[in-house]
Amino acid sequence: MITNPAIDDYVSGLVPERSPLLTRLEQEAAAENIPIVQLPSAQVMRMLLLLHRPTAILEVGTAIGYSTIWLAEAAPEARIVTMDIDEDRLGRARTNIAEAGVSERVEILLRDATLGLPDSYQFDCLFIDAAKGQYRAFLDLYLPLLREGGLVISDNVLFRGLVATPEEATKRQRPMVEKLHAYNTLLMEHPELETTMIPVGDGLAVSLKKKKSDKTLESEV
């Protein structure tokens, strides 16, 4: 946990009741140890999308479709491309997304996200929630497909708080923690992005892709 458990429980308890489908998926994920976006983070994402109103979203990491449904409900005008390498979970995601009634707006790809996508794909929101050690690769691949003014939302960037206390990471965790720390630093220093870190859930990074006019002004200062 990166937050006070009592505070986390309190915030989670204030989140409005979800649909029976989302509630069931939360229970399945907990029972089967399937990683899904934590409820406080999902609520923050919902608010960001309600404000930003994207029309095209790329989700890197589908799992069983839980966050895909959140994205679809928060951005009812958006088309969503979501990809995952796990065929079994992706099959479950297809079923869940169909049950949610949003299949017509969601393109589901069985694909290794490190392979990228053609330039014909363009998005105004990018949600990264797949292999944590590959976040830098995902950003390099998909930031060029993000329109100016678009959002990048990265989940799990604080990884149980271990990015702040790497000495507490196990030997197995340490390489991933180091990569996440490097990724967070990259986000904060990236010339094309304006980023803030939100200590909610397991840590959200929210980045705005700067417009060319913004970058020109910065270079003149």
Side-chain angles (χ1 to χ4, degrees):
M1 299 289 294
I2 65 168
T3 56
N4 184 312
I7 297 297
D8 193 64
D9 289 343
Y10 174 75
V11 172
S12 297
L14 290 175
V15 176
E17 185 175 349
R18 276 79 64 213
S19 66
L21 172 59
L22 285 176
T23 301
R24 191 193 80 222
L25 295 183
E26 291 165 9
Q27 294 168 348
E28 290 179 5
E32 302 175 42
N33 199 29
I34 298 171
I36 60 171
V37 63
Q38 294 186 23
L39 190 55
S41 297
Q43 187 67 8
V44 170
M45 288 167 49
R46 175 179 172 80
M47 181 59 67
L48 289 170
L49 267 60
L50 288 171
L51 291 169
H52 192 64
R53 301 178 65 181
T55 59
I57 300 172
L58 173 61
E59 178 184 41
V60 181
T62 314
I64 56 175
Y66 177 76
S67 54
T68 316
I69 296 169
W70 269 94
L71 295 170
E73 290 182 352
E77 298 178 0
R79 296 195 61 82
I80 300 170
V81 175
T82 184
M83 67 176 79
D84 205 291
I85 200 172
D86 189 317
E87 187 170 3
D88 291 337
R89 286 184 179 172
L90 212 56
R92 292 173 64 177
R94 286 191 181 94
T95 300
N96 295 328
I97 289 167
E99 184 177 341
V102 296
S103 293
E104 73 282 358
R105 294 195 287 119
V106 180
E107 180 181 356
I108 303 171
L109 303 177
L110 176 61
R111 186 175 180 84
D112 182 345
T114 63
L115 298 177
L117 286 171
D119 290 343
S120 56
Y121 283 93
Q122 293 289 308
F123 305 96
D124 41 25
C125 181
L126 167 61
F127 176 47
I128 301 177
D129 189 21
K132 313 310 168 193
Q134 297 291 339
Y135 273 23
R136 169 65 185 267
F138 298 149
L139 185 71
D140 290 345
L141 284 167
Y142 300 117
L143 186 59
L145 304 184
L146 189 71
R147 300 184 182 105
E148 291 182 1
L151 287 176
V152 182
I153 304 173
S154 309
D155 194 22
N156 304 111
V157 293
L158 299 182
F159 193 63
R160 307 172 193 173
L162 293 176
V163 290
T165 56
E167 68 278 1
E168 296 179 11
T170 66
K171 185 176 180 180
R172 183 177 180 181
Q173 292 170 331
R174 200 161 295 131
M176 182 170 59
V177 170
E178 291 173 355
K179 288 182 178 180
L180 276 173
H181 172 68
Y183 176 73
N184 292 340
T185 302
L186 171 68
L187 288 178
M188 299 302 291
E189 298 178 350
H190 201 292
E192 294 186 68
L193 298 174
E194 182 77 27
T195 299
T196 187
M197 297 282 173
I198 305 178
V200 63
D202 198 32
L204 279 181
V206 181
S207 307
L208 182 72
K209 186 173 183 179
K210 298 176 185 177
K211 298 179 180 179
K212 290 181 180 178
S213 57
D214 296 335
K215 290 181 281 186
T216 300
L217 286 173
E218 287 181 2
S219 65
E220 293 175 351
V221 173

